[in-house]
């Protein structure tokens, strides 16, 4: 086969190899055989199924693999996937996890599919030798536009079985066609697939097809998956109806009318609700929710913020997971125009949601996403908040090439006597050779109603521009600019910082090695420039500047070490308070510090990740130590912990403080159906202990029983007047849900 001239001119030799396999299509045929779904590959169905060979991706990229074979076929109702995973030493297979969506360094098999070869979205179905499963959705061609590109909270309805053999282990999948939303185009169904399999005790990864090693996230990129034709497949519509019933008892302490004492408020509730997912077309899905409940969601980790930027908490609630990446709208590094956690959560407390609808998918040549949710009125102490409506519209259209788009987003939050609206236009352009330009401009309106809003474009707008050379070897770089106006205030956004000009520069050099006999590190990365500068909106002052060069080395065992040094300048226009004891006065500061970290390979049953920093901190010093132990006793029991310790010392001001944030979580599983966790956390800044107990019995996908208990305790009750209660909030919930599909 001749290599296209375009490939020679635009892409590197590695990408040309990738381009060749993308230019041909494999055919997967329908089966007439029945599957005895038990994990053993002994049926005639697999003898006649299409087979796909693997190649080694890590450490010896490009080496042929004779240990792994992938099988795919389908019938009228299901897509069937199987794997024969041989191992030279079967007794060394790592199988530690029985919990859905958990992982403790197990060997795994991951099958990925872009059902309609969109080259931007894909589903991931992963399984471990124990039979435990992990799934997620990939959006935006696995190129970060926000924080939802890899949606690990997305759960599909599917089945997987495994068996261990004398030669290794085997896998069978049964995935409903309705969940994959295939679409007939010109009378055919053409999708794209990829797969990965590991031998973790040797830190080896095998893949199909031969995706490039030097592109970040290449194994997950829909545009690099192998095109396949599902000959004779007839798509099926998706319909899922999930009613739930819930009983709960809640108690809290609130200040009495004269603010001289706390009084206990108790509440018992018996409730019911309904979630519906309807495939209007194979590519357009409607989600509706009535009396939405998120009580089974795990509590957030306690975090300490010793910086000027906002803290981000991930979205775990199921209603927001369908095509979450479609709603990514980049407003600059780690900022986004829509942040779903502002809906139904206020100051860490859940706000009841009356209901809502969500439409996602494709309409003609457009990607479309729309949602509307109505919350109940709520009270937080003396503050009373009326019912609110949150609405979002997202449109995108592929332009120029398969990995480029132009789009728009509009958000609106309305309550009595208040409206906040935002509108933005964004785009991503693939410039070739893995160079991407990502840009956006957004503007906001805010007031009692649209008629009395004061508006000026630059004061009310934000601009974000990014040029990103997306590679992992050789020279690669990133350059970004942001402007955020004085009055830019999108109420449904997450903004790392506000009111500034920002210039960011990053320059890296990376190098892969394939042979452990000749090299110590499998991969090394030198970040020579990592510089961030924030100016005031009129350029009159520098607010923040830092440069943080670093070096990272990953051993062939998977262990990784990093070293960095940082110099930083800060101008505080007003005091910056970290705790009751520590406040940084306004003024100019220049300081420097350094740090190092160690992360062990995932194959170990006991892992101890560690990191330490020491040096100047504004007008004082900071010693920070972070440890994260994980001990997998067996497939039934795992301990996870973390402890962040800071010692802040400001000698000239005679101020100092120890900050402790320890966490301990016990994860346990009796089998693949019954599992639970116990989490305890302490935050020395708030002087509170938090505990959560969560029990789940999973009858099958979409059919669950949850028992959840959450409580906090005040540890320094005498510090406040009146004296604090023993706890602020306590909740016990029993929830049962059943999905009909």
């Amino acid at each position: 086969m001749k290599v296209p001239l375009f490939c020679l001119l635009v892409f590197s030799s590695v990408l040309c190899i990738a381009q060749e396999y993308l230019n041909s299509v494999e055919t997967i045929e329908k089966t007439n055989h029945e599957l005895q779904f038990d994990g053993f590959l002994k049926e005639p169905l697999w003898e006649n199924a299409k087979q796909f060979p693997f190649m080694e991706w890590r450490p010896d990229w490009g080496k042929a693999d004779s240990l792994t074979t992938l099988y795919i076929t389908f019938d009228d109702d299901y897509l069937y996937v199987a794997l024969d995973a041989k191992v030279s030493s079967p007794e060394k297979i790592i199988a530690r996890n029985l919990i859905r969506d958990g992982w403790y360094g197990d060997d795994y098999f991951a099958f990925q599919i872009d059902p309609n070869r969109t080259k931007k979205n894909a589903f991931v179905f992963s399984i471990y030798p124990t039979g435990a499963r992990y799934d997620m959705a990939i959006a935006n061609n696995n190129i970060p536009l926000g924080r939802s590109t890899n949606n690990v909270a997305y759960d599909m309805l599917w089945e997987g079985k495994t068996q261990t053999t004398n030669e290794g282990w085997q896998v069978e999948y049964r995935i409903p066609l309705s969940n994959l939303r295939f679409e007939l185009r010109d009378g055919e169904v053409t999708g794209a697939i990829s797969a990965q399999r590991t031998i973790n005790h040797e830190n080896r990864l095998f893949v199909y097809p031969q995706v490039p090693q030097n592109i970040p996230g290449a194994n997950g990129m829909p545009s690099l998956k192998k095109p396949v034709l599902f000959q004779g497949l007839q798509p099926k519509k998706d319909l899922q109806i999930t009613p739930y019933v819930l009983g709960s008892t809640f108690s809290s302490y609130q200040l009495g009318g004269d603010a001289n004492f706390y009084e206990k408020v108790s509440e018992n509730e018996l409730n019911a609700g309904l979630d519906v997912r309807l495939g209007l077309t194979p590519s357009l899905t409607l989600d509706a929710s009535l009396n939405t409940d998120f009580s089974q969601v795990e509590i957030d980790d306690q975090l300490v913020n010793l910086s000027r930027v906002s803290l981000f908490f991930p979205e775990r609630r199921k209603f927001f997971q369908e095509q979450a990446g479609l709603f990514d709208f980049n407003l600059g590094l780690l900022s986004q125009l829509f942040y779903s956690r502002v809906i139904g959560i206020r100051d860490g407390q859940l706000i009841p949601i009356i209901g809502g609808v969500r439409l996602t998918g494709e309409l003609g040549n457009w990607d479309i996403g729309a949602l509307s949710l109505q919350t109940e009125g709520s009270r937080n102490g003396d503050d009373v908040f009326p019912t609110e409506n949150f609405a979002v519209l997202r449109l995108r259209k592929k332009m120029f090439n398969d990995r480029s788009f132009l789009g728009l987003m509009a958000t609106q939050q309305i309550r009595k006597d208040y409206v906040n609206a935002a509108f933005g236009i964004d785009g991503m352009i693939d410039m070739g050779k893995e160079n991407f330009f990502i840009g956006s401009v957004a503007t906001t309106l805010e007031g009692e109603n649209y008629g009395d809003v004061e508006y000026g474009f630059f004061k009310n707008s934000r601009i974000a521009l990014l040029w990103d050379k997306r590679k992992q070897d050789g020279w690669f770089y990133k350059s970004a600019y942001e402007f955020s106006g004085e009055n830019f205030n999108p109420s449904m956004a997450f903004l790392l910082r506000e009111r500034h000009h920002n210039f960011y520069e990053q320059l890296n050099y990376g190098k892969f090695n394939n042979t452990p006999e000749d090299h110590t590190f499998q991969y090394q990365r030198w970040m020579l420039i990592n510089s961030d500068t924030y100016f005031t909106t009129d350029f009159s002052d520098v607010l923040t500047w830092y440069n943080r060069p670093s070096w990272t080395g990953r051993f062939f065992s998977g262990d990784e070490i990093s070293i960095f040094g940082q110099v930083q300048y800060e101008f505080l226009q007003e005091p910056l308070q970290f705790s009751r004891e520590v406040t940084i006065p306004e003024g100019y500061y220049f300081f420097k510090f350094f740090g190092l970290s160690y992360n062990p390979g995932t194959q170990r049953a006991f892992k101890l990740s560690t990191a330490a920093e020491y040096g100047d901190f504004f007008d004082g010093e900071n010693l920070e130590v972070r440890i994260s132990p994980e001990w997998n006793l067996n497939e039934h029991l795992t301990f996870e912990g973390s402890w962040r310790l800071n010692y802040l010392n400001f000698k000239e001001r005679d101020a100092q403080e120890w900050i402790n944030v320890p966490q301990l979580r016990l994860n346990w599983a009796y089998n693949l159906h019954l599992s639970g966790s116990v989490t305890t956390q302490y935050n020395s800044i708030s002087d509170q202990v938090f505990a959560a107990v969560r029990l789940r019995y999973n009858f099958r996908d979409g059919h669950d029983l949850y028992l959840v208990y959450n409580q906090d305790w005040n540890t320094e009750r005498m510090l406040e007047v009146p004296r604090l209660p023993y706890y602020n909030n306590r909740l016990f919930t029993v929830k049962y849900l059943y999905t009909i599909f």
Side-chain angles (χ1 to χ4, degrees), residues 409-665:
M409 175 175 277
T411 69
Q412 179 178 263
Q413 179 183 354
I414 294 180
R415 61 177 179 264
K416 184 180 179 181
D417 298 326
Y418 176 79
V419 60
N420 184 290
F423 177 82
I425 299 174
D426 69 333
M428 178 172 70
I429 303 175
D430 178 5
M431 307 297 292
K433 293 186 178 179
E434 295 306 310
N435 286 286
F436 287 86
F437 173 76
I438 300 171
S440 69
V441 56
T443 192
T444 61
L445 299 170
E446 184 178 28
E448 290 189 8
N449 56 63
Y450 285 113
D452 64 359
V453 172
E454 294 185 7
Y455 179 77
F457 178 76
F458 286 102
K459 283 190 175 183
N460 287 67
S461 298
R462 183 167 174 132
I463 299 169
L465 307 173
L466 169 68
W467 187 284
D468 190 5
K469 176 78 168 181
R470 301 196 74 252
K471 286 183 61 184
Q472 295 187 105
D473 68 341
W475 292 100
F476 53 102
Y477 46 82
K478 183 181 294 185
S479 182
Y481 166 74
E482 297 171 23
F483 165 73
S484 191
E486 294 286 342
N487 298 329
F488 181 73
N489 183 34
S491 63
M492 297 174 67
F494 175 82
L495 302 178
L496 197 69
R497 290 182 65 155
E498 303 174 65
R499 296 182 290 277
H500 62 262
H501 293 274
N502 171 243
F503 296 88
Y504 179 76
E505 302 292 337
Q506 187 184 106
L507 178 64
N508 306 267
Y509 182 80
K511 183 176 179 10
F512 285 98
N513 297 307
N514 292 347
T515 55
E517 297 82 10
D518 302 323
H519 301 91
T520 302
F521 296 100
Q522 193 262 330
Y523 178 72
Q524 294 184 76
R525 172 175 171 172
W526 293 264
M527 188 179 292
L528 304 176
I529 299 175
N530 183 19
S531 176
D532 212 1
T533 308
Y534 286 87
F535 294 90
T536 55
T537 54
D538 60 0
F539 283 108
S540 60
D541 282 296
V542 176
L543 297 172
T544 297
W545 170 82
Y546 72 78
N547 188 34
R548 186 186 179 107
S550 64
W551 169 84
T552 299
R554 185 171 64 238
F555 296 92
F556 284 87
S557 64
D559 294 3
E560 186 173 281
I561 56 175
S562 295
I563 302 171
F564 79 88
Q566 181 163 326
V567 291
Q568 186 165 338
Y569 167 86
E570 293 283 355
F571 169 46
L572 299 183
Q573 297 168 301
E574 56 187 30
L576 182 62
Q577 184 172 1
F578 293 129
S579 68
R580 285 189 293 261
E581 304 296 330
V582 175
T583 298
I584 309 299
E586 61 184 63
Y588 300 89
Y589 300 90
F590 182 81
F591 51 99
K592 55 189 179 299
F593 55 98
F594 65 93
L596 53 86
S597 65
Y598 165 73
N599 292 297
T602 57
Q603 73 275 18
R604 292 178 172 81
F606 178 78
K607 296 179 275 288
L608 184 62
S609 297
T610 57
E613 297 181 12
Y614 176 73
D616 303 330
F617 184 70
F618 292 91
D619 58 336
E621 295 178 337
N622 174 38
L623 170 65
E624 178 174 313
V625 178
R626 298 188 302 273
I627 60 172
S628 300
E630 180 183 300
W631 186 19
N632 183 247
L633 279 74
N634 52 48
E635 61 186 17
H636 301 289
L637 198 60
T638 297
F639 290 95
E640 295 180 78
S642 66
W643 184 19
R644 173 172 172 172
L645 174 68
N646 286 86
Y647 175 61
L648 303 177
N649 187 10
F650 303 90
K651 296 179 181 179
E652 294 184 1
R653 293 189 282 118
D654 194 25
Q656 58 186 6
E657 182 171 16
W658 289 92
I659 297 175
N660 283 281
V661 185
Q663 180 192 87
L664 179 64
R665 176 177 287 127

Side-chain angles (χ1 to χ4, degrees), residues 91 95 99 101 132 208 234 245 262 286 304 318 341 352 356 375 411 450 484 495 498 500 517 544 662 702 708 717:
E91 71 280 1
I99 299 173
D101 293 332
Y208 174 84
Q234 294 298 315
V245 292
Y262 285 89
L286 177 69
V304 171
K318 184 176 180 180
R341 279 183 60 103
T375 64
T411 69
Y450 285 113
S484 191
L495 302 178
E498 303 174 65
H500 62 262
E517 297 82 10
T544 297
V708 181
R717 300 176 56 221

